[in-house]
């Protein structure tokens, strides 16, 4: 079943650091420490997979605050979000700002919108590479003192957010099939001085880009 809890942490970035390498020199997360009124949250953003054959993909772009809906105006702290369009929840596949990276004027004909979406999508493919490549793409937006929005699943105990990555499209038979769901994707956003948001989206290479209403991969 989808996550029991999903939401967004609004706070201020205190610092960030990479995992300590394991015995093989590998590390899997860029860790954030985010300050909010109830304390300092731990957030682990996946930039590699424990299954070395899987790999992680990512996108980095910028969006206007209004494209994010109500979450841009939330007070600091953790907020549960309904898994619905318009609530502020994220869905890499269905959210207009994440799908296109921009919002088109509502008066545009559907045919024109579709053409523009295809053009923009083709110009912003998922990047693939090593954990170092992913971290180097992510870290420039992690400016200490910036307001930050971290989407994902809250810790069961203590202050923290995890599953900060796509949370749908895992294939049948994988350990995460049961957790597939729509409008529950994780992501990291930091607010720029001009009020816009830098966005880091990340997913595992085994996760599909087209899903059904339950977040499971669509069969071709």
């Amino acid at each position: 079943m989808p996550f029991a809890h999903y939401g967004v942490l609004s706070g201020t970035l205190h610092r960030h650091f990479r995992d300590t390498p394991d015995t093989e020199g590998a590390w899997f997360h860029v860790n954030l420490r985010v300050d909010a009124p109830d304390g300092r949250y731990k957030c682990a953003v996946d930039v590699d997979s424990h299954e070395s054959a899987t790999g992680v993909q990512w996108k980095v772009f910028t969006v206007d605050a209004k494209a994010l809906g109500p979450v841009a105006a939330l007070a600091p702290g953790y907020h549960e979000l309904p898994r619905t369009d318009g609530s502020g929840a994220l869905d890499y596949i269905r959210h207009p700002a994440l799908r296109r990276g921009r919002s088109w004027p509502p008066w545009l004909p559907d045919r024109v919108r579709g053409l523009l979406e295809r053009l923009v999508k083709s110009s912003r493919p998922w990047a693939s590479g090593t954990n170092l490549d992913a971290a180097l793409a992510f870290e420039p937006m992690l400016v200490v003192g910036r307001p930050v929005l971290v989407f994902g699943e809250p810790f069961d105990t203590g202050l923290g957010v995890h599953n900060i990555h796509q949370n749908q499209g895992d294939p049948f038979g994988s350990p995460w099939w049961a957790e597939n769901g729509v409008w529950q994707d994780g992501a990291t956003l930091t607010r720029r001085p001009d009020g816009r948001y830098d966005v880091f989206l990340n997913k595992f290479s085994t996760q599909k880009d087209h899903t059904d209403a339950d977040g499971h991969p669509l069969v071709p």
Side-chain angles (χ1 to χ4, degrees):
M1 60 181 294
F3 298 146
H5 297 281
Y6 167 79
V8 60
L9 169 64
S10 173
T12 302
L13 184 63
H14 174 73
R15 70 182 183 111
H16 66 88
F17 57 95
R18 301 173 189 173
D19 283 343
T20 300
D22 63 17
T23 56
E24 298 180 355
W27 46 275
F28 305 101
H29 304 94
V30 172
N31 297 279
L32 313 183
R33 296 295 180 264
V34 178
D35 289 333
D38 52 340
R40 183 163 292 158
Y41 282 73
K42 300 178 180 180
C43 307
V45 183
D46 293 270
V47 292
D48 201 357
S49 169
H50 289 270
E51 298 181 25
S52 59
T54 299
V56 170
Q57 299 175 308
W58 64 91
K59 294 183 183 183
V60 181
F61 54 91
T62 303
V63 297
D64 293 334
K66 64 181 181 181
L68 301 174
V71 295
L74 289 175
Y78 174 78
H79 304 268
E80 280 283 308
L81 295 174
R83 257 62 73 82
T84 58
D85 183 9
S87 71
L90 298 187
D91 188 305
Y92 289 9
I93 298 167
R94 296 165 180 82
H95 195 295
L98 304 189
R99 201 172 64 237
R100 302 188 296 251
R102 64 177 65 194
S103 297
W104 304 114
W107 45 263
L108 280 178
D110 289 343
R111 181 171 56 83
V112 176
R113 283 178 196 244
L115 175 60
L116 289 172
E117 287 184 18
R118 288 194 293 275
L119 289 172
V120 171
K121 183 176 180 180
S122 65
S123 67
R124 188 182 287 126
W126 288 98
S128 300
T130 66
N131 55 347
L132 180 60
D133 294 330
L136 290 174
F138 180 34
E139 289 169 339
M141 63 183 270
L142 299 177
V143 179
V144 171
R146 268 192 179 188
V148 60
L149 297 173
V150 182
F151 293 79
E153 182 185 27
F155 286 2
D156 291 333
T157 304
L159 299 178
V161 179
H162 62 159
N163 283 321
I164 306 169
H165 51 70
Q166 179 171 308
N167 293 305
Q168 60 180 310
D170 279 295
F172 180 76
S174 79
W176 305 281
W177 164 269
E179 294 184 344
N180 281 334
V182 299
W183 295 104
Q184 61 165 23
D185 287 332
T188 310
L189 292 73
T190 63
R191 194 173 76 204
R192 300 156 52 105
D194 64 5
R196 304 177 76 207
Y197 281 82
D198 289 331
V199 180
F200 182 76
L201 305 184
N202 47 307
K203 74 180 187 74
F204 298 105
S205 59
T206 52
Q207 293 176 312
K208 304 305 180 184
D209 293 327
H210 302 283
T211 61
D212 63 19
D214 296 317
H216 297 314
L218 286 172
V219 177

